[in-house]
Amino acid sequence: MVEKKALKPKKEIELKDLTICDATQQMLAKARRDGVETQFDRAAGMKACPIGADSACCKHCFMGPCRLNAKDPYGKVGVCGANIDAIQARNFGRMVATGTACHNDHGMAMLDIFRDVVQGKIKDYRIKDVNKLVSISKEIGIETEDRSVQDIAMDLYHELEKTYTQVEGELPFAKRVPPKTLEMWRKHGIVPRGAMREIMEMMSRTHIGMDQDHTNLIKQICRTALADGWGGSMVATEISDILFGTPSPVSVEVNMGVLKEDHVNVIVHGHEPNLFESMLASVNAPSLLESANEAGAKGINLVGMCCSGAEVMSRHGIPHAGNFSSTEPILVTGAVDAMAVDVQCIQQGLVKVAECYETELITTNPRCHLEGATHIELDEHNPQKCTDEIVIRAISRFKNRKFPVEIPKKVGIGVHGFSHEYINYMLGGSFRASYTPLNENIINGRIRGVAGVVGCTNPRVKQDYVHVELVRELIKNDVLVVQTGCSQIALAKAGLTSPEAAALAGPGLAEVCETVGMPPVLGLGSCVDNTRILIACSEMVRTGGLGDSIADLPVAGAAPEYMSEKAIAIGQYFVASGVYTVFGVTFPVTKGTNFEKLLFEGLEEMGMGKWGFNPDPHEMARMMIAHIDKKRQALGIDK
Ligand code: CUV
Ligand code: SF4
């Protein structure tokens, strides 16, 4: 056993420097009083490894691990002779492989449920959006005329399964890619076959003694990432819409104030919507409501966090309690009776915090347990067995609450749940529609361009601050912002997802927003729903007037506070699809190397988008707007 020293932050950082979220600040103050540690404390006590931060180390074999010197990147090579570019490219490739694996794992789980629903083996869920089932089927070439929903659905299942398992050919949603973009991918040999194959090849090629040419590795990096965006993530979004309903705008309350002192509070945190859907049924079960009342509660209050929260918020208007960095602080309220989690972004630190307040922390998925948490497995064939049990435990925790409850009285109200279909519909009618209304407004210059601002929060930077500043700057400059994940929650808390926020937009964007009554910041859902942005981009290309590939569009993307490998995979699939994508916090490359140059310039020369990096929100906005203007100029629509 290795003795590990307890992490002790040297000096106490002021709370206002950790987060701009008032509720989280209030809970961090309470955590300090209560002697409870969160990710903010652990980050202060753990300096990021400078060699790893530059991606200048390799542990792919046991002649090493090897460390290179980022200040003199070409002065040294690994024991095997691998140079800095091979090492960084391999590291980057493995990050993309892991992120892609996560999203595909999630998408595949959704597809498994879909199959069992169609075959009648799962009775708790059913096909909710038949229109979407039919339209997606048509798009990928499935015959739908005069056929039963069941038959179409089964064909769709078999077709989409290829997303994961196909060994040769192009994955099904390649059919949705604008032809010129697809042609560019074919030229480079990067159209994904099936995700399993791409991830396997990525892992294989990063083994010692395999691919050590970063210009060749980058192709597999792109192909793997595309098997996320146009593969697993897209399947997750579309199948979830078909099973649980396609979102349309709904007004939602966001922030810790959605907890209710006199209710049994249940939080669902994670990524797969099925846990949440079953929990919804459980908290509404009359027998459980009755026992909650008997325990002295006014009711059962179900709220979401992180991505599953963002997804059901968009789909059903369920209140959302906060993003990633708030998942520990919210337990400090003492008001959370149970937190049910499934997969992804479930930090192990939750276990200790939950213990401190005797909150029931329950893992539900066989592929994500936490040592020290209770595991109650959710079986999709009888999901309510699990969720009922969680609610029963929550009620009993409520009855025996031992701690004074302190709930920050903070709630932001905004409108969420925009799909690209809805954006077009919403903008329809009011404007001359020779193209689509969205394109028309971009061409006439009222909307300068579109920016996707997405991704995590990260205790290495002030929580929510970079998201909010960046988005404010973008809308002020008439850039319409679309959002997913934890970023969307940051803006919702800051009040920018309400139609009134149009007042903060530039004159052109404000006019469009006011005419249709929409906010300048449109929330689309969870991280896998970034694929809604890909589809929106394809739609913008297809309807005309803005060039003929995604790389021609006046759009840009950003993940200003990212922390996960999934974010790297998402960034890479946007770049490979043609989008300029800027990340904040830190970037895992060594400055001044050929691999850095390839990511930040070379990919664009190959016809794709490119990466950008800047931790400062205002600089980031400037870079994105300059790119949008460059594209407008190339299209001849600059004024
Ligand atoms: Ni998938 S990946 S912290 S919950 S957005 Fe939130 Fe979102 Fe990042 Fe995780
Ligand atoms: Fe070192 Fe090469 Fe082994 Fe990496 S693969 S640890 S660089 S010897």
Side-chain angles (χ1 to χ4, degrees), residues 58-66 78-82 87 90 208:
C58 176
K59 53 180 172 63
H60 293 193
C61 91
F62 302 94
M63 299 191 284
C66 300
V79 175
C80 66
I87 287 174
R90 288 195 304 213
I208 154 82

Side-chain angles (χ1 to χ4, degrees), residues 13 50 83 153 216 229 352 377 403 478 489 515 590:
I13 301 169
N83 68 9
N216 196 44
K352 265 198 168 171
E377 201 146 307
F403 304 93
D478 291 318
I489 305 308
T515 311
T590 297

Side-chain angles (χ1 to χ4, degrees), residues 339-452:
M339 179 182 265
V341 300
D342 54 22
V343 293
Q344 299 173 18
C345 302
I346 319 294
Q347 45 181 344
Q348 192 168 6
L350 288 168
V351 176
K352 265 198 168 171
V353 187
E355 243 168 49
C356 291
Y357 300 95
E358 291 182 19
T359 292
E360 293 278 352
L361 177 66
I362 295 150
T363 55
T364 59
N365 195 290
R367 49 209 210 289
C368 180
H369 288 222
L370 296 177
E371 189 184 340
T374 309
H375 185 75
I376 304 175
E377 201 146 307
L378 182 123
D379 170 8
E380 283 80 15
H381 300 88
N382 185 12
Q384 259 187 269
K385 185 164 176 261
C386 163
T387 49
D388 282 356
E389 171 67 21
I390 294 170
V391 174
I392 290 166
R393 282 167 178 259
I395 293 171
S396 132
R397 194 278 185 183
F398 175 89
K399 206 165 148 187
N400 302 308
R401 272 189 197 173
K402 292 193 189 106
F403 304 93
V405 164
E406 179 183 334
I407 300 173
K409 298 272 167 291
K410 302 283 176 204
V411 179
I413 297 180
V415 182
H416 300 262
F418 295 90
S419 53
H420 80 275
E421 297 98 330
Y422 200 88
I423 296 169
N424 272 338
Y425 162 78
M426 177 173 61
L427 290 169
S430 326
F431 302 98
R432 184 170 63 91
S434 51
Y435 303 116
T436 67
L438 177 61
N439 285 23
E440 189 61 36
N441 277 303
I442 293 172
I443 293 164
N444 68 29
R446 283 193 187 91
I447 296 176
R448 191 163 178 173
V450 181

Side-chain angles (χ1 to χ4, degrees), residues 171-185:
L171 52 66
F173 283 141
K175 296 197 178 70
R176 300 176 112 181
V177 180
K180 211 178 145 211
T181 302
L182 186 60
E183 196 185 295
M184 178 267 293
W185 293 353

Side-chain angles (χ1 to χ4, degrees), residues 432-636:
R432 184 170 63 91
S434 51
Y435 303 116
T436 67
L438 177 61
N439 285 23
E440 189 61 36
N441 277 303
I442 293 172
I443 293 164
N444 68 29
R446 283 193 187 91
I447 296 176
R448 191 163 178 173
V450 181
V453 181
V454 307
C456 327
T457 60
N458 183 330
R460 299 283 174 203
V461 298
K462 201 194 289 183
Q463 182 193 7
D464 296 347
Y465 169 77
V466 197
H467 291 295
V468 173
E469 284 300 303
L470 169 63
V471 171
R472 277 176 176 276
E473 200 59 31
L474 289 170
I475 62 172
K476 204 163 87 189
N477 285 283
D478 291 318
V479 176
L480 175 67
V481 174
V482 292
Q483 290 214 281
T484 62
C486 291
S487 184
Q488 176 176 341
I489 305 308
L491 272 294
K493 287 188 286 181
L496 267 80
T497 52
S498 74
E500 291 72 43
L504 302 171
L509 178 59
E511 186 188 334
V512 177
C513 290
E514 277 152 15
T515 311
V516 289
M518 72 174 195
V521 178
L522 305 178
L524 311 182
S526 68
C527 287
V528 291
D529 297 331
N530 280 319
T531 60
R532 297 191 201 278
I533 303 176
L534 289 180
I535 298 303
C537 287
S538 308
E539 202 69 7
M540 283 161 77
V541 173
R542 200 182 56 78
T543 50
L546 293 174
D548 46 17
S549 81
I550 295 176
D552 295 331
L553 296 171
V555 302
E561 302 181 18
Y562 86 103
M563 62 85 197
S564 70
E565 290 172 311
K566 290 182 290 171
I568 296 281
I570 292 168
Q572 186 60 45
Y573 74 60
F574 271 107
V575 168
S577 299
V579 180
Y580 177 45
T581 305
V582 188
F583 271 36
V585 192
T586 179
F587 202 89
V589 288
T590 297
K591 281 198 192 65
T593 56
N594 293 324
F595 184 62
E596 187 205 31
K597 199 155 182 244
L598 178 60
L599 295 182
F600 287 70
E601 292 168 30
L603 291 174
E604 190 176 44
E605 286 154 21
M606 292 165 75
M608 301 181 206
K610 62 178 175 184
W611 283 94
F613 165 68
N614 205 301
D616 178 78
H618 300 280
E619 260 313 289
M620 209 181 258
R622 193 195 54 73
M623 290 157 72
M624 293 165 78
I625 293 166
H627 178 81
I628 285 170
D629 287 349
K630 184 178 91 181
K631 293 296 170 184
R632 292 187 66 90
Q633 202 170 8
L635 289 165

